[in-house]
C-alpha cells in the first residue's frame, strides 16, 4: 500500500467571503462563498467549463419543537486545508487497488444570532467533487430534526438526462432519455406500475443521475456513504433548471433524526469530457470509510445458478400448495395440505440444479420458495409472514446441504421479508444461525411490497438503518448479503465488503414482466452501478417466455451475445447464470463463456462508452495475464474497430470471440451468434459488427 500523503493548513478566515480549490490535476475548480446575507453557495467547473452553477446550501431544522432555518447568516470562522494521497487494496472489485487522492477544505461556519455551528467538508479529486455537512458537538444543538435539506445543483443548460422517476419505494423503472425541460411532460409515461411505489413530484428524479451537455460534458450526480440518513432524490425547478435535494421522509413527514456530532452522506458530482471516465471513477468508494471487517477471508465472490427464473416466468411457483386455506405460521399443518406440482423448491428438483452446478463449476445454487408462508406472502400487510427457518415438507434442508457439500457446491439462502421489517429483525439472529448450521454462507434478501410498519418507505432513514443493521449483523455471522428492493448502494461495500450485491434497479426479471428497453443495459453502468455492484441476473438464452409458460408473452430484448457481454460490462462479485439448465444445454458452446469468465479482476479498461448507446469494457483477471471483454449495444446496429493495445507488449494471446451473427437482432433473431478463435497481440485490431440489442464477449488467454 502506498504511504498516505497528508498535508494540513489551518487558517482563520472570518473576514473572507469567497475562496476556491483546485483538484490535484488542476482540471476541476471549486468556488464557494458567503454573500452579504450570509448565504453559502458553491459552484464547480471542469477545464474552464461550468459543471454546476452557483448553488445554495443549507437546512431546515426543528430544534426542541421550533422550526429553524439554517441557510443564511453564516460566517466563515475557520478553514482547514488538507491534501491526501493513498492507494488502498480492495477485498473484491474492478481492480485490486484504488488510488484515493484529493484536496480538501473543511469550512467551519457559525450562524449569526443562533450561534449554531455547521461544518462543510469539500473533497475535490481528479474525477469530481464530494461534499457533506457536519454538525460538531455544541451546547445549543444536540438532538434535532432535519425537516429539509436545501442542497442545490444548478444546471448550466437544458442538458440531456438519463433519468427514472423520483420514488420513495422503488428504482425498478426503465430509463427515459430527455432534455431536463421535458421531464415533467414525460413523467407519467415513465412512471410504470410496481409492487410498491410513491412518487413525490412530476419533476422528481433519482440518483445516480446521468447528464450530458450540448458541448459534450458528462455529469453524474449521486451520493456516497449513506448511513443513518434518508436517501436523496433530486427535484428540478423547470424554470431555473436547478435541482434541489429531496430527502425521503418517514411516516410522519420528517426527514432525519440526528444528534450532534453528526454528519450527512456525501453529495457527489463526477464530471468529464470523456464518458469512459465516469465509469472509471472510484469517487463513490473513496468517500466511504475503510473496511471495518478485520478478517475478510470468508468473503468470496460467487458464480451461481438458481431455482428462480422458472418462478419469475410463471412456469413454476414459490408456494407449496394451491389450496384455498388460511395460512398461519405455527398453526397451519402443511403435511395435511395437497402439494402443488408447480412447487419448484423440492428436494429432488433442487438436486438437479446442484448436479448442474457441480458439472459446470458453479459455486452456488440459490433456492427460493423453500420456506413456509408463500401462499399469502404479498399484498396483505401481514406482519408475521415468514419465520426464515421452517422448510416446506418437500424440502429437506439437511439432505440437500449434505448433497451440495459432497459436490463442492454451496446453497444460497433466500430471505424474502415481504417488507415486514420488524418481523425480519425479530427473527434475524435465528435465521442467520440456521444458515450457518446448515452450511449457507450467503443470503439473498428481499423487500417486496409496502413497508411494515405502515407509513415508512423503502428509502427512509429508518429503513436505511435497517439495511445497515442486517448487513452488520450478517458480518457477525460471516454471511455475505445480496439485498433486493433495498436502497441503492452508495459505496458502503468498501466499509462492509460482505455486501456483495444489490438489486435496487430494473433487473432481468422485468424481461419476463413485459420486457425492458433494448438500451437499458447501456445506461445502468452510468447510473445504478456507480454506487456498487448489481445482482442483475444475466445469462438468459431463451428469449421467448411463452416457451417456458404459454401464458407469458414477454420477450427478452437482447441477443445471446449481449447476455454474455453483461458478465464483463456489469461488474459484480456475485454473478448468476439465471436461465434454466435445459436452455444452457442447448447452447453449450456459448455457455462456455459464462463458465470461463472470472469474478475477480486485476484492473479494468473502458474502451468505449456512450450512455444509452454502447459500453465496451476490458478486464484483466486477477493474478493472471488473461483478459475478458464485453460490449453491450443499444438499439442501433453498429460497426466497431477495437484496438487491443491494452494487452502486454510482446505477449501472444488466443482470443475466442462470441459475437452476433450477421443476421442477429434482439427481436427477430436473438439466438444467432458466431464463435471464432484467432491469435492476437497488442498490435491487433478487431473489426466487429454489433446487432441491434446485441453485443460481443471475448476471452483473451495468454499463450502458455
Amino acid at each position: 500500500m502506498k504511504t498516505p500523503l497528508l498535508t494540513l493548513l489551518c487558517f482563520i478566515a472570518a473576514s473572507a467571503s469567497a475562496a476556491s480549490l483546485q483538484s490535484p490535476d488542476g482540471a476541476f475548480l471549486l468556488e464557494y462563498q458567503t454573500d452579504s446575507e450570509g448565504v453559502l453557495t458553491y459552484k464547480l467547473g471542469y477545464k474552464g467549463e461550468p459543471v454546476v452553477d452557483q448553488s445554495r446550501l443549507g437546512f431546515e431544522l426543528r430544534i426542541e419543537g421550533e422550526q429553524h432555518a439554517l441557510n443564511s447568516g453564516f460566517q466563515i470562522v475557520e478553514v482547514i486545508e488538507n491534501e491526501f494521497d493513498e492507494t488502498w487494496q480492495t477485498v473484491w472489485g474492478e481492480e485490486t487497488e484504488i488510488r484515493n487522492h484529493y484536496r480538501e477544505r473543511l469550512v467551519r461556519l457559525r450562524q449569526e444570532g443562533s450561534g449554531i455551528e455547521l461544518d462543510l467538508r469539500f473533497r475535490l479529486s481528479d474525477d469530481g467533487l464530494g461534499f457533506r455537512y457536519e454538525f460538531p458537538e455544541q451546547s445549543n444543538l444536540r438532538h434535532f430534526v432535519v425537516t429539509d435539506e436545501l442542497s442545490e445543483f444548478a444546471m448550466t443548460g437544458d442538458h440531456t438526462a438519463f433519468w427514472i422517476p423520483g420514488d420513495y419505494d422503488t428504482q425498478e423503472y426503465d430509463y427515459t432519455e430527455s432534455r431536463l425541460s421535458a421531464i415533467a411532460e414525460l413523467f407519467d409515461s415513465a412512471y410504470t406500475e410496481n409492487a410498491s411505489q410513491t412518487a413525490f413530484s412530476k419533476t422528481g428524479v433519482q440518483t445516480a443521475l446521468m447528464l450530458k451537455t450540448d458541448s459534450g460534458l458528462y455529469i453524474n450526480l449521486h451520493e456516497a456513504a449513506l448511513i443513518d440518513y434518508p436517501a436523496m432524490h433530486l427535484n428540478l425547478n423547470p424554470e431555473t433548471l436547478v435541482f434541489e435535494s429531496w430527502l425521503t421522509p418517514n411516516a410522519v413527514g420528517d426527514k432525519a433524526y440526528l444528534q450532534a456530532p453528526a454528519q450527512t452522506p456525501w453529495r457527489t458530482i463526477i464530471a468529464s469530457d470523456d464518458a469512459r471516465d465516469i465509469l472509471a471513477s472510484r469517487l463513490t468508494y473513496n468517500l466511504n470509510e475503510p473496511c471495518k471487517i478485520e478478517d475478510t477471508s470468508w468473503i468470496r465472490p460467487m458464480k451461481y445458478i438458481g431455482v428462480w427464473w422458472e418462478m419469475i416466468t410463471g412456469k413454476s411457483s414459490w408456494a407449496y400448495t394451491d389450496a384455498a386455506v388460511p395460512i398461519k405460521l405455527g398453526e397451519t399443518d402443511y403435511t395435511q395440505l395437497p402439494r402443488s406440482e408447480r412447487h419448484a423448491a423440492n428436494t429432488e428438483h433442487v438436486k438437479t440444479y446442484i448436479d448442474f452446478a457441480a458439472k459446470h463449476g458453479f459455486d452456488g445454487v440459490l433456492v427460493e420458495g423453500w420456506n413456509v408462508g408463500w401462499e399469502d406472502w404479498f399484498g396483505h400487510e401481514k406482519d408475521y409472514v415468514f419465520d426464515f427457518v421452517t422448510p416446506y415438507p418437500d424440502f429437506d434442508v439437511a439432505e440437500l446441504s449434505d448433497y451440495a457439500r459432497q459436490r463442492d457446491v454451496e446453497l444460497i439462502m433466500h430471505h424474502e421479508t415481504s417488507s415486514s421489517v420488524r418481523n425480519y429483525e425479530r427473527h434475524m439472529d435465528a435465521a442467520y444461525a440456521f444458515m450457518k448450521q446448515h452450511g449457507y454462507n450467503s443470503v439473498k434478501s428481499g423487500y417486496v411490497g409496502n413497508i411494515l410498519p405502515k407509513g415508512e418507505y423503502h428509502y427512509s432513514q429508518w429503513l436505511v438503518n435497517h439495511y445497515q443493521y442486517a448487513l452488520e449483523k450478517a458480518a457477525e455471522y460471516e454471511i455475505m448479503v445480496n439485498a433486493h428492493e433495498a436502497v441503492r448502494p452508495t459505496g458502503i461495500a468498501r466499509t462492509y465488503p460482505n455486501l456483495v450485491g444489490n438489486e435496487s434497479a430494473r433487473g432481468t426479471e422485468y424481461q419476463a414482466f413485459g420486457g425492458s428497453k433494448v438500451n437499458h443495459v447501456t445506461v445502468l453502468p452510468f447510473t445504478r452501478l456507480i454506487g456498487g455492484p448489481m445482482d442483475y441476473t444475466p445469462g438468459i438464452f431463451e428469449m421467448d417466455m411463452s416457451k417456458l409458460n404459454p401464458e407469458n408473452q414477454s420477450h427478452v430484448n437482447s441477443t445471446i451475445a449481449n447476455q454474455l457481454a453483461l458478465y464483463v460490462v456489469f461488474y459484480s462479485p456475485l454473478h448468476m447464470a439465471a436461465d434454466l439448465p435445459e436452455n444452457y444445454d442447448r447452447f453449450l458452446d456459448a455457455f462456455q463463456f459464462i463458465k470461463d469468465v472470472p469474478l475477480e479482476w486485476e484492473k479494468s479498461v473502458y474502451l468505449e462508452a456512450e450512455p444509452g448507446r454502447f459500453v465496451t469494457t476490458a478486464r484483466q483477471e486477477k493474478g493472471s495475464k488473461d483478459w475478458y471483454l464485453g460490449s453491450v449495444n443499444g438499439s442501433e446496429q453498429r460497426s466497431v474497430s477495437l484496438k487491443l493495445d491494452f494487452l502486454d507488449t510482446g505477449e501472444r494471446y488466443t482470443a475466442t470471440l462470441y459475437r452476433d451473427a450477421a443476421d442477429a437482432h434482439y427481436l427477430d433473431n436473438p439466438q444467432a451468434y458466431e464463435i471464432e478463435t484467432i491469435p492476437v497481440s497488442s498490435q491487433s485490431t478487431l473489426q466487429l459488427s454489433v446487432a441491434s440489442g446485441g453485443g460481443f464477449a471475448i476471452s483473451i488467454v495468454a499463450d502458455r
Side-chain angles (χ1 to χ4, degrees):
M1 176 180 291
K2 185 176 178 181
T3 302
L5 167 68
L6 182 65
T7 60
L8 292 172
L9 176 63
C10 176
F11 58 91
I12 303 298
S15 60
S17 62
S20 63
L21 178 68
Q22 280 192 313
S23 59
D25 66 358
F28 283 97
L29 178 65
L30 166 71
E31 299 176 81
Y32 60 91
Q33 67 175 20
T34 53
D35 64 16
S36 59
E37 296 181 353
V39 174
L40 181 65
T41 62
Y42 78 99
K43 59 181 178 179
L44 182 67
Y46 175 76
K47 294 182 178 179
E49 184 173 349
V51 177
V52 174
D53 213 341
Q54 190 164 326
S55 301
R56 297 187 176 197
L57 299 167
F59 288 93
E60 293 285 347
L61 305 179
R62 190 167 67 246
I63 306 170
E64 296 182 353
E66 298 294 327
Q67 204 64 27
H68 183 85
L70 193 64
N71 61 352
S72 63
F74 288 121
Q75 283 188 330
I76 298 176
V77 297
E78 185 182 21
V79 174
I80 300 175
E81 290 189 0
N82 172 22
E83 182 166 357
F84 186 79
D85 191 359
E86 70 165 356
T87 300
W88 55 276
Q89 306 297 311
T90 60
V91 176
W92 46 257
E94 298 177 69
E95 51 272 301
T96 58
E97 59 182 29
I98 293 175
R99 187 182 184 189
N100 184 18
H101 185 199
Y102 61 81
R103 290 177 178 167
E104 180 180 87
R105 285 275 175 86
L106 176 60
V107 183
R108 289 187 165 163
L109 306 161
R110 181 180 296 117
Q111 187 180 42
E112 291 184 287
S114 72
I116 292 176
E117 297 173 1
L118 175 67
D119 294 346
L120 191 63
R121 190 180 297 271
F122 295 104
R123 284 187 183 171
L124 195 56
S125 304
D126 292 343
D127 47 352
L129 171 69
F131 68 87
R132 75 180 181 193
Y133 303 92
E134 300 176 5
F135 297 90
E137 184 175 353
Q138 53 197 291
S139 60
N140 57 344
L141 185 68
R142 293 179 178 172
H143 297 86
F144 60 99
V145 180
V146 174
T147 57
D148 207 359
E149 181 186 322
L150 306 178
S151 302
E152 291 183 346
F153 305 84
M155 299 294 96
T156 60
D158 193 11
H159 306 329
T160 298
F162 299 84
W163 58 276
I164 56 176
D167 194 304
Y168 297 151
D169 283 303
T170 186
Q171 287 207 314
E172 296 177 355
Y173 294 107
D174 257 321
Y175 283 88
T176 298
E177 177 183 348
S178 77
R179 294 287 184 172
L180 293 174
S181 58
I183 290 175
E185 65 183 85
L186 295 174
F187 189 92
D188 287 344
S189 60
Y191 191 67
T192 51
E193 185 177 359
N194 196 273
S196 177
Q197 56 190 152
T198 309
F200 58 85
S201 168
K202 293 294 180 70
T203 54
V205 298
Q206 299 194 51
T207 70
L209 175 66
M210 190 66 207
L211 303 154
K212 185 181 181 182
T213 71
D214 288 342
S215 64
L217 186 65
Y218 299 88
I219 304 169
N220 185 278
L221 305 178
H222 193 31
E223 62 180 330
L226 176 59
I227 298 285
D228 193 22
Y229 205 77
M232 180 185 73
H233 313 272
L234 299 171
N235 194 38
L236 180 71
N237 182 325
E239 296 181 359
T240 63
L241 299 180
V242 173
F243 281 112
E244 186 172 290
S245 58
W246 189 288
L247 304 181
T248 306
N250 64 14
V252 297
D254 292 330
K255 305 301 173 55
Y257 300 131
L258 300 179
Q259 179 181 356
Q263 62 195 31
T264 70
W266 297 89
R267 279 64 186 97
T268 62
I269 306 166
I270 304 170
S272 178
D273 50 14
D274 188 335
R276 296 175 300 174
D277 292 339
I278 306 298
L279 303 181
S281 172
R282 300 295 177 257
L283 179 68
T284 311
Y285 280 116
N286 280 333
L287 290 169
N288 278 267
E289 295 296 317
C291 181
K292 290 187 177 181
I293 300 174
E294 186 173 347
D295 176 14
T296 60
S297 60
W298 52 273
I299 301 173
R300 294 173 288 104
M302 293 182 69
K303 198 181 298 181
Y304 73 104
I305 62 172
V307 183
W308 174 76
W309 187 242
E310 59 185 281
M311 287 93 88
I312 291 293
T313 60
K315 178 180 186 292
S316 302
S317 172
W318 287 270
Y320 173 81
T321 183
D322 296 326
V325 296
I327 300 296
K328 291 189 176 182
L329 300 190
E331 299 180 22
T332 301
D333 184 355
Y334 278 94
T335 64
Q336 302 303 307
L337 298 177
R339 177 189 176 276
S340 170
E341 292 301 317
R342 297 178 63 246
H343 182 234
N346 65 79
T347 299
E348 294 309 311
H349 189 53
V350 171
K351 283 181 179 179
T352 67
Y353 276 82
I354 294 171
D355 290 341
F356 186 86
K359 178 180 179 180
H360 294 285
F362 283 79
D363 303 297
V365 175
L366 168 72
V367 184
E368 296 195 9
W370 68 276
N371 56 316
V372 297
W374 283 94
E375 287 72 22
D376 63 349
W377 73 283
F378 175 75
H380 303 291
E381 298 181 338
K382 189 174 182 180
D383 183 70
Y384 187 28
V385 58
F386 295 115
D387 69 6
F388 311 101
V389 296
T390 306
Y392 281 125
D394 61 348
F395 186 87
D396 192 319
V397 176
E399 181 180 344
L400 285 169
S401 296
D402 288 342
Y403 191 86
R405 183 170 55 254
Q406 292 166 9
R407 288 154 182 80
D408 199 25
V409 173
E410 286 188 14
L411 292 178
I412 298 174
M413 178 55 71
H414 182 230
H415 287 168
E416 176 54 58
T417 69
S418 192
S419 287
S420 182
V421 177
R422 293 187 311 171
N423 181 60
Y424 191 31
E425 290 189 356
R426 286 196 299 264
H427 291 88
M428 193 172 290
D429 275 296
Y432 286 163
F434 179 87
M435 287 178 58
K436 300 305 289 186
Q437 177 187 352
H438 294 285
Y440 291 79
N441 297 307
S442 58
V443 60
K444 173 185 175 181
S445 58
Y447 296 85
V448 176
N450 294 328
I451 295 293
L452 293 178
K454 293 180 66 174
E456 286 291 342
Y457 302 108
H458 282 77
Y459 308 148
S460 67
Q461 181 188 28
W462 191 73
L463 265 296
V464 167
N465 289 345
H466 163 77
Y467 304 134
Q468 189 66 27
Y469 173 78
L471 180 63
E472 294 184 28
K473 177 65 70 174
E476 293 176 15
Y477 286 86
E478 297 190 348
I479 287 173
M480 299 181 291
V481 175
N482 169 25
H484 282 227
E485 294 88 31
V487 71
R488 75 284 189 275
T490 58
I492 298 294
R494 179 188 178 187
T495 313
Y496 290 95
N498 62 318
L499 181 61
V500 292
N502 283 104
E503 184 186 39
S504 307
R506 188 181 181 94
T508 298
E509 62 186 359
Y510 279 86
Q511 298 281 21
F513 301 160
S516 296
K517 291 180 180 178
V518 65
N519 71 338
H520 185 59
V521 294
T522 68
V523 179
L524 283 172
F526 293 96
T527 52
R528 161 61 184 79
L529 272 67
I530 291 294
M534 179 179 178
D535 185 30
Y536 186 73
T537 62
I540 304 302
F541 282 10
E542 178 51 70
M543 312 304 177
D544 182 356
M545 296 299 96
S546 68
K547 292 183 178 179
L548 282 72
N549 174 14
E551 297 180 2
N552 189 340
Q553 299 302 308
S554 301
H555 181 87
V556 178
N557 294 322
S558 166
T559 67
I560 284 181
N562 179 288
Q563 290 291 306
L564 297 180
L566 291 171
Y567 289 90
V568 180
V569 175
F570 283 19
Y571 169 71
S572 178
L574 186 74
H575 255 318
M576 184 181 195
D579 210 339
L580 308 187
E582 52 263 40
N583 288 332
Y584 292 132
D585 285 337
R586 295 164 53 200
F587 304 100
L588 286 174
D589 54 352
F591 186 55
Q592 188 64 44
F593 183 82
I594 299 178
K595 294 169 59 175
D596 291 342
V597 66
L599 296 171
E600 298 186 83
W601 304 107
E602 191 74 27
K603 61 181 177 181
S604 297
V605 180
Y606 304 92
L607 302 178
E608 54 175 6
E610 184 64 32
R613 305 296 183 269
F614 52 81
V615 176
T616 304
T617 305
R619 305 192 195 273
Q620 183 183 12
E621 183 179 10
K622 186 175 181 179
S624 168
K625 294 183 179 180
D626 300 344
W627 286 78
Y628 292 79
L629 276 70
S631 181
V632 292
N633 195 37
S635 59
E636 295 182 10
Q637 181 182 3
R638 68 189 189 99
S639 297
V640 179
S641 181
L642 194 66
K643 293 182 178 180
L644 303 184
D645 53 5
F646 53 86
L647 297 175
D648 289 344
T649 302
E651 193 79 39
R652 306 299 300 179
Y653 299 84
T654 299
T656 303
L657 286 68
Y658 302 78
R659 61 189 180 193
D660 295 319
D663 59 346
H665 187 278
Y666 77 94
L667 276 179
D668 302 329
N669 201 11
Q671 294 171 326
Y673 61 89
E674 298 173 347
I675 301 176
E676 181 184 7
T677 300
I678 58 173
V680 296
S681 71
S682 62
Q683 304 299 311
S684 301
T685 299
L686 303 179
Q687 305 297 330
L688 298 162
S689 179
V690 191
S692 175
F696 57 83
I698 307 173
S699 63
I700 304 178
V701 178
D703 292 346
R704 267 71 175 183

